[in-house]
Amino acid sequence: MILELDCGNSFIKWRVVDEVLASTVEGGVVGSDEQLLAALAGKMASALSYCRLVSVRTDEETQSLISRLEAALGVCCVRAMPSDELGGVRNGYTEYRRLGMDRWLAVVGAYHLARKPCLVIDLGTAVTSDLVTGKGEHLGGFICPGMPLMRNQLRTHTRRIRYDDSAAEQALHDTAPGRSTAEAVERGCLLMLRGFVQSQVELAAEHLGSEFEVFLTGGDAQLVQEAVPRARVLPDLVFVGLAIACPLR
C-alpha cells in the first residue's frame, strides 16, 4: 500500500491507497508529525511499501518528517519537487519554483482528469485560482484570503467581534442578513468567497472560451459549490497530481 501526504504549514492530510485496487483504504488530517505517526502505527504501518509526499514546509522541516517516517515505517519516501513542465502542463510562473507545490499538483491533476481547458480553485486557509488552456499552458492565477483568514482578521482587529467556532458553524446554515455578529461576519465572508469564485468563472470564460472544466478543492470547497453547480468537487485533487509527479516506477 502507498502512503500519500500533503504537508501544509498547519496540517498534514494523509491517505493510504491500495495500489492494486486503486482505492483509498484510510485517511485523515492531523496537526503534527507525532499525530501522523500515531495514526499510522500498528498493522497499517507494516503494510506500507511506498510513501510519496508534497510539502510547502521548509526543506529542514520536510526532511525531518521524511527521516522520521523512514525510521518508523521502513519505507522509502519520495518528495514531489518543482518543475517547469509536468503531466502535459507547462508552469506559467516566471520563476516556476515560486509556484506553491500543492497548487501546482492540483493544476496538474485537474488537467490530467479534464484534458481540456480548466479552472482550478483551491479553498483553504488561502484561496488560489489557476487557469490552464486546452494545450496545457498554465496562464497563472490569483491568491486571496480564505474563510479562516478573513474571519481571524476581523476577530483580531475589531474589538467587538467575539464568537466561538460553534457560533461560526451555525451561522453558515443560511445566507440571510445576519442578526448577530457571528452571522453577519460569517455570512459576509461567505458571500465574498462566493463572489470571488463567480468572478473567476467569468474571467476563465474570457481566457479559455466557453468549454472549460471547473474544479473545486480544499476544505471549504463545499461552501461555494452552490455558486458553481457545474463544478467538480474533488477534495483529493492534489493527490492526483502527486501520483503523476512521483510514479511508482
Side-chain angles (χ1 to χ4, degrees), residues 116-119 200-202 204-205 208-214 230:
K116 62 189 292 189
C118 50
L119 167 66
Q200 291 304 297
V201 174
E202 294 171 2
L208 303 176
S210 59
E211 296 298 321
F212 63 92
E213 195 91 36
V214 181
R230 61 184 273 199

Side-chain angles (χ1 to χ4, degrees), residues 9-26:
N9 291 308
S10 302
F11 299 99
I12 301 173
K13 185 175 182 180
W14 66 275
R15 73 176 188 177
V16 173
V17 178
D18 186 319
E19 67 264 42
V20 177
L21 300 177
S23 61
T24 300
V25 176
E26 193 169 348

